[in-house]
Amino acid sequence: MKSTSAADDSGEPVKTTAVADSSGKPTRTTATADGSGAPTGTTAATDGGGRPVRPPTAVPEEGGASDAVPTRTLVHALVRTDGTVDAGELYQVAGLLSMTDQQVRLCVKRLVAEGLFTQEGRGRRAVLRAVAEPSGPLAPDVSSVRLAYRQDQGLAPWDGVWHLFAFAVPESARAARDALRDALLGLGAAPLQGGLYVTAHPVEPLVEQRAGQLGVASQLACLTSTDLRIGAPAEPRELTAALWPLDGIAARYGELAAAARDCLDRLEGPEPPTGPERLMLAVRLAAVFTRAMRPDPLLPPELLPRPWPGARARELFSTAWAALTTAAERDPGPSSPRLFALYEELTGRTAPEA
């Protein structure tokens, strides 16, 4: 299992998520904790060493605006299929996203210094060339997105089984204990009490693998139950609402739906957007989609409030992205960024060629 976390030029967290394998079974989701404490109704929990643990929640916003795009993210998003970024186009789209030329220059300088890109030429006439994998933080996790859409279509029903994990790792192995706790939270599990976590997904192989890597496999217990209670008996939906920050997750899907509608309004307006304006819309929409999907533990629909805004938001996103792709096909110009090809799985469309 692989999970990464980093910060870009704006300090925004960047995480990698994988949720479903080829059979549609979940393998990994990502969630982080903010500084606001446990959601209302959640019992405070501790890790396997007795330290308080906050349940998973949405990744905190950076810079306030829900559709803000960090400069580094924009550079990666504009990498074309041949691995290059046209600096003139970069500056144009950055300006549409309210970024200054100075921000762009500093970001490019850092990316080159880090060995991620090379630069040929100067200023707006320069061409950047990706040295490493250029997908960047907006690249969709196809497996997790596939699971989400399968859930939306009723093709991934819950079997009614809760999967629980308990561990008690001593203070002398604090690093291993913290890493195991983070792995469980990254898999979308929620803490019940000291050293006890629960999820609706069968992730035992991944948890056991991680515990083995950390040398604490003998201190991990895995069990399943169809009768989970916290205090008085409660319906599964009530348990879910108490354990996971559903309000925050739903709010992010509301932002995604609004961004998709705005994109469609712009594309269907009396004055079609220019090429740079379409790229700006695509980058901004992908950023909002990522912020909505990445912290979502993708709980089965049977455990979520009805109607759940995630399904409608993803439907609107697919419609808006297909419209962006169609508009690019009508006026292709230079080859489109890899971002279009990376989201091909979501819309069933082929990215426009040069």
Side-chain angles (χ1 to χ4, degrees):
M1 181 179 71
K2 181 180 180 182
S3 176
T4 61
S5 179
D8 61 18
D9 290 341
S10 72
E12 183 179 41
V14 173
K15 285 184 175 285
T16 302
T17 308
V19 186
D21 59 19
S22 58
S23 67
K25 294 182 179 180
T27 59
R28 183 158 60 89
T29 58
T30 298
T32 63
D34 64 11
S36 62
T40 302
T42 301
T43 303
T46 59
D47 63 14
R51 295 191 301 171
V53 172
R54 284 186 290 270
T57 187
V59 177
E61 293 288 358
E62 295 290 340
S66 64
D67 59 355
V69 179
T71 314
R72 176 175 295 225
T73 298
L74 173 62
V75 177
H76 282 286
L78 295 185
V79 174
R80 297 190 176 278
T81 53
D82 61 0
T84 64
V85 177
D86 179 86
E89 186 173 74
L90 171 61
Y91 278 96
Q92 279 186 296
V93 179
L96 293 170
L97 290 168
S98 301
M99 298 177 189
T100 66
D101 287 0
Q102 179 71 356
Q103 280 179 276
V104 177
R105 283 194 294 269
L106 288 175
C107 180
V108 169
K109 184 178 179 180
R110 289 174 183 147
L111 290 169
V112 172
E114 293 169 13
L116 299 177
F117 286 83
T118 60
Q119 180 176 345
E120 302 169 10
R122 299 181 63 183
R124 293 173 180 264
R125 295 184 178 181
V127 174
L128 305 179
R129 190 174 299 276
V131 175
E133 166 55 42
S135 298
L138 294 189
D141 185 325
V142 175
S143 58
S144 65
V145 172
R146 183 181 296 121
L147 173 60
Y149 279 100
R150 282 176 56 82
Q151 290 177 333
D152 296 343
Q153 297 163 11
L155 300 177
W158 185 46
D159 59 5
V161 176
W162 297 101
H163 302 260
L164 295 99
F165 305 89
F167 61 93
V169 180
E171 182 67 17
S172 59
R174 175 191 292 187
R177 183 183 68 208
D178 291 349
L180 182 57
R181 177 200 63 210
D182 291 345
L184 284 161
L185 294 175
L187 287 161
L192 288 172
Q193 57 187 32
L196 180 60
Y197 294 76
V198 64
T199 176
H201 294 309
V203 295
E204 286 85 351
L206 291 171
V207 178
E208 292 170 339
Q209 178 186 26
R210 185 60 176 147
Q213 293 170 345
L214 296 169
V216 294
S218 63
Q219 293 157 300
L220 171 70
C222 307
L223 61 150
T224 60
S225 175
T226 57
D227 183 23
L228 178 64
R229 305 181 188 183
I230 303 175
E235 293 297 321
R237 277 200 180 91
E238 295 174 353
L239 286 173
T240 300
L243 292 171
W244 282 273
L246 299 185
D247 289 346
I249 297 170
R252 288 174 181 273
Y253 279 120
E255 294 168 357
L256 174 59
R261 292 191 189 98
D262 177 69
C263 180
L264 287 168
D265 289 343
R266 294 283 299 275
L267 292 169
E268 297 167 358
E271 296 185 8
T274 64
E277 288 172 338
R278 286 197 306 270
L279 288 178
M280 178 273 292
L281 291 171
V283 171
R284 189 171 63 182
L285 185 59
V288 182
F289 181 83
T290 300
R291 273 193 287 272
M293 283 288 295
R294 191 156 286 166
D296 186 354
L298 295 179
L299 294 163
E302 294 88 345
L303 300 178
L304 295 170
R306 294 180 180 174
W308 178 244
R312 178 56 178 161
R314 284 187 286 266
E315 180 183 8
L316 283 168
F317 170 82
S318 291
T319 301
W321 197 266
L324 281 168
T325 304
T326 299
E329 289 172 343
R330 288 198 299 262
D331 181 23
S335 63
S336 297
R338 294 181 72 249
L339 194 65
F340 282 90
L342 291 171
Y343 278 92
E344 179 184 346
E345 288 277 347
L346 307 187
T347 62
R349 300 294 305 275
T350 300
E353 298 294 337

